[in-house]
Amino acid sequence: GNSVTQMEGPVTLSEEAFLTINCTYTATGYPSLFWYVQYPGEGLQLLLKATKADDKGSNKGFEATYRKETTSFHLEKGSVQVSDSAVYFCALLMDTGRRALTFGSGTRLQVQP
Amino acid sequence: GAGVSQSPSNKVTEKGKDVELRCDPISGHTALYWYRQSLGQGLEFLIYFQGNSAPDKSGLPSDRFSAERTGGSVSTLTIQRTQQEDSAVYLCASSSRDSSYEQYFGPGTRLTVT
């Protein structure tokens, strides 16, 4: 079946540090890939997405590139802020069959001032 | 415009009781999904409705769980004879072909079974 693997958290960084959260996937076919973010006390929000190989999704300074050869979609940000503290979920969606997201386990990011 | 709404936001119930959770999707969205977020299991798919097609129930954990979608809009997730392991946040999402099936999530219902 399809699956998503994320790095374990929590990840603790100082403000302005570089962020990488690793995400790899297993899928039969060619999924679309997503990063969702859940801020404390809030619902899931789409952060960015990529629908085919070599696409780069970007939003709010975050980026992720769809790498088919390594089946990865790592999330990066050059300079994190305290307000980026949240739980980040990597997810995939197939374009056939069940159109429900398959999520990774989530990675909690804590940014300290 | 209005997003996905869910009610109640919090529900505490006694073990063995039935509960109903409601989801109002974004107007015009043809697809509706229920997920569950729990400490031990992360985010799990439960059920998916698409238009008038038969729902995909393959994620429902037991026959105590059921869901329906009336008139292609509002959905209700029902859990019968609740157990403590049902305690979780239940999330609803909706999507449409116009938005490339990008899923928009509601705030969730936190269910606590005592």
Side-chain angles (χ1 to χ4, degrees), chain A residues 8-99:
Chain A
E8 294 274 337
V11 173
T12 303
L13 296 173
S14 298
E15 208 164 21
E16 299 184 2
F18 184 86
L19 168 72
T20 300
I21 300 178
N22 290 337
C23 170
T24 56
Y25 68 90
T26 301
T28 52
Y30 302 102
S32 295
L33 300 173
F34 303 82
W35 278 100
Y36 280 83
V37 59
Q38 190 171 36
Y39 297 104
E42 298 186 16
L44 274 171
Q45 302 174 27
L46 179 65
L47 179 60
L48 54 83
K49 67 179 182 182
T51 58
K52 61 183 187 296
D54 300 325
D55 270 2
K56 178 185 284 188
S58 60
N59 186 25
K60 299 182 180 179
F62 290 89
E63 293 183 340
T65 301
Y66 189 143
R67 301 285 188 200
K68 182 178 151 189
E69 63 276 12
T70 54
T71 62
S72 65
F73 193 55
H74 304 322
L75 183 68
E76 296 182 336
K77 186 174 186 182
S79 175
V80 294
Q81 306 300 311
V82 172
S83 57
D84 294 326
S85 297
V87 181
Y88 293 80
F89 293 91
C90 186
L92 68 81
L93 179 70
M94 303 305 296
D95 61 359
T96 57
R98 176 204 294 180
R99 293 193 62 83

Side-chain angles (χ1 to χ4, degrees), chain A residues 36 38 46 98-101, chain B residues 33 35 37 45 58 102-103:
Chain A
Y36 280 83
Q38 190 171 36
L46 179 65
R98 176 204 294 180
R99 293 193 62 83
L101 290 159
Chain B
Y33 313 77
Y35 296 88
Q37 185 174 21
F45 162 76
S58 58
E102 179 178 315
Q103 295 184 26

